[in-house]
Amino acid sequence: MTQIGYADRIRMLEAPRGRVRCVLDTDTANEIDDQFAIVQMLLSADRLDLQAIYAAPFHFPDTDAKTPAHGMELSYDEILRVLTRMDVKPEGLVYEGVRRYVGPDKVGRDAPAVDDLIARARASTTADPLYVVAIAAISNVASAILKAPDIIDKIVVVWLGGHALEWPHTAEGNLHRDVGGAQVLFDSGVPVVLLPCLGVVSHLLSSVPEIELHVEPHGEIGKFLAQRYKESSDDHVGWSKEIWDMAPVAWLLNPDWCESVVTHTPVVTDQVKWSVDKTRHPMRYVYRIHRDPILKDFFNKMKVRSQGAN
C-alpha cells in the first residue's frame, strides 16, 4: 500500500478548515442515532458538503436484520425515509453498500458504495482529502481500501467504533460485527480519527423530555426523530439514551466539542481487544465529548429550519 509521509499524516489528522467535503457511511436502520446524524449533517451545509450517503450492512439476532445484506437494505430504505422528511432527493446521493462483511479473510466486497467512494477518493488529494464519516461496521470503507490501496493518501476516516483504549475489550457493535474490516482499517495506514463508544461517546445522552421539547415540534423530521427516539424503550422514567452517531459529525463541526490527542494506532486482535505497539503510525483519538454544545447546536439548527419553513 502507498505510504503517507509522517508530516502529511499529522497534517491530515488536524481538524479541517473551511467547508468540508465528506461522505457518510451509515447502518441507519440499526439504531436511532444514525437518523440524527444524517439530519445533523444536512442542517450543517454551511460547514459540511455532504456528497454521498452509503448504506452499511448490519445484523443482530434480536433485530429485523437477519443477514448483513438484509440490514444494508433496511438501512437504505431508512435513509430514504429521512431524506423524504428533509425534502432532499436521493438520486445521485444514496448508494447501496456491501452485502457481506470483509471478515477474517479480509476480502474486499463489491458494491455501488465502494465504487463511489473509490472514485471520490481518487478525485481528492493529500492536501485536500475526502472525509469519510463512518458510523457503522467499517465494511464499505475497508472494501474500498482493499480494492484501491492508493486512496489511503486521499481520505480521512472519522469512525465511531470500539471502546476506549483503556477498556478491557473492544467488542462494540460497529467493530465486533466486522473485526477483519477493522483490522484492515487500522493496519492500512489510512489517517483515522477514532471516537470510541463506552468511556467516551457514551456521555452523549439525551432524554425523552428534552427530545419532546427541542426536536419533536420542528416539522415532519422532528416528529420522525422523536418517534424513533421514544421507540428505543417502553419505560421512559429516569431513562436516557445515547445518540452515539452525532459525535463524529460534531468533531468535524467543532473539534473543541471533542477533545483529542494524537497517539499510536492500536492493533485490533482476533480476540477483539486493543493491543499496543508504539512503532505504529499515528491516529487522532477522541478521549472526551462535550455533550451540551453538541446537542445545543443541533437543537438550534432544528428550530431555525422549522421557522424558515413557516
Side-chain angles (χ1 to χ4, degrees), residues 96-100 107-115 139-140 143 147:
E96 289 191 350
V98 300
R99 308 181 74 84
R100 298 174 62 191
V107 178
R109 310 296 183 181
D110 295 325
V114 174
D115 294 339
S139 311
N140 285 331
S143 291
K147 288 178 171 294

Side-chain angles (χ1 to χ4, degrees), residues 5-250:
Y6 185 83
D8 282 334
R9 186 188 305 280
I10 293 298
R11 185 191 55 75
M12 292 175 77
L13 290 173
E14 294 297 324
R17 298 179 181 178
R19 195 160 182 248
V20 182
R21 294 184 305 108
C22 55
V23 296
L24 177 65
D25 188 58
T26 165
D27 55 351
T28 320
N30 173 40
E31 253 265 31
I32 61 94
D33 49 342
D34 298 75
Q35 295 89 329
F36 279 78
I38 294 172
V39 175
Q40 181 188 23
M41 295 187 82
L42 292 173
L43 291 177
S44 304
D46 59 329
R47 170 66 172 165
L48 305 178
D49 176 13
L50 179 59
Q51 298 187 346
I53 303 175
Y54 306 139
F58 77 92
H59 83 288
F60 287 110
D62 59 346
T63 67
D64 293 336
K66 303 308 179 186
T67 67
H70 187 211
M72 185 279 294
E73 293 168 355
L74 293 174
S75 291
Y76 185 91
D77 292 341
E78 182 76 348
I79 293 167
L80 299 187
R81 283 189 280 271
V82 173
L83 294 185
T84 296
R85 288 162 175 81
M86 290 292 289
D87 299 318
V88 174
K89 296 184 182 299
E91 292 79 13
L93 178 65
V94 186
Y95 297 84
E96 289 191 350
V98 300
R99 308 181 74 84
R100 298 174 62 191
Y101 300 133
V102 167
D105 293 333
K106 299 179 176 59
V107 178
R109 310 296 183 181
D110 295 325
V114 174
D115 294 339
D116 185 80
L117 176 54
I118 292 172
R120 293 183 191 276
R122 284 179 167 165
S124 304
T125 65
T126 300
D128 182 23
L130 177 71
Y131 286 80
V132 182
V133 180
I135 54 177
I138 204 69
S139 311
N140 285 331
V141 180
S143 291
I145 290 171
L146 287 167
K147 288 178 171 294
D150 56 289
I151 69 172
I152 70 166
D153 290 348
K154 302 174 181 179
I155 64 174
V156 177
V157 180
V158 187
W159 188 38
L160 179 88
H163 295 317
L165 293 181
E166 68 273 14
W167 220 253
H169 66 81
T170 193
E172 172 274 334
N174 288 349
L175 192 152
H176 201 198
R177 281 197 294 272
D178 193 357
V179 176
Q183 291 170 333
V184 168
L185 178 75
F186 287 115
D187 294 346
S188 68
V190 68
V192 172
V193 179
L194 178 64
L195 294 98
C197 291
L198 291 183
V200 181
V201 181
S202 48
H203 293 285
L204 189 52
L205 295 158
S206 190
S207 64
V208 167
E210 187 173 49
I211 295 299
E212 287 181 334
L213 181 62
H214 295 294
V215 175
E216 191 166 18
H218 300 309
E220 290 303 311
I221 189 60
K223 295 176 185 176
F224 180 78
L225 293 177
Q227 177 189 358
R228 287 288 186 262
Y229 190 90
K230 294 177 186 180
E231 289 171 348
S232 295
S233 175
D234 295 328
D235 183 3
H236 298 156
V237 178
W239 179 80
S240 61
K241 175 80 179 76
E242 303 91 350
I243 316 181
W244 312 93
D245 289 334
M246 293 179 70
V249 182

